[in-house]
Amino acid sequence: MTELLTLTGQLRLVGLALILMGLVHIVLPRLLDWPGDLSGSTLLTRQVSYAHLFFIGLVCALLGALPLAFASELQTGAPLPTALLGGQTVFWGLRWAAQFVYFSPRLWRGNRLYTLGHIALAALWTWVTAVFGAALVRTALW
């Protein structure tokens, strides 16, 4: 159990969380009522929306599989693992920033479910970015 509190354990947990986030994209359209929202859109808009959704979910799952399967290897200090940690830190850090800069508070204020989702996603992206950042700093200083 204490293994989960180590940086290696946290990397694995982040990997699992990202894979789960990728899987959530399977039901996300129904949760957000995309069929209703997109019904008046053109076929191209609908198909682009669902294609992007699929690939975002896939990227989440693949980026999660990396630390889940190779948490120890990512911390070796070799150039490739260090670059991967740097890339993940930047990617998820930008996702964290988007949570506050891009998404308007009008989307979630006044709606308990959406407010809870906003808070949960803010916490998730903070944790994910912090874990990758901590691994990067530890690896770079090692």
Side-chain angles (χ1 to χ4, degrees), residues 7-78:
L7 189 52
T8 301
Q10 287 295 298
L11 281 167
R12 287 190 177 118
L13 284 174
V14 161
L16 181 61
L18 291 174
I19 290 169
L20 292 173
M21 178 58 72
L23 293 173
V24 164
H25 282 74
I26 294 169
V27 297
L28 193 61
R30 291 221 192 284
L31 291 174
L32 298 178
D33 190 31
W34 277 23
D37 287 346
L38 293 174
S39 65
S41 300
T42 65
L43 178 60
L44 178 62
T45 299
R46 284 192 305 274
Q47 288 186 338
V48 167
S49 296
Y50 284 108
H52 277 107
L53 177 81
F54 170 78
F55 284 104
I56 290 169
L58 180 62
V59 165
C60 285
L62 292 174
L63 289 179
L66 187 64
L68 182 63
F70 301 107
S72 297
E73 290 84 348
L74 284 171
Q75 300 174 75
T76 62

Side-chain angles (χ1 to χ4, degrees), residues 77-88:
L80 180 59
T82 302
L84 291 169
L85 286 172
Q88 292 253 32

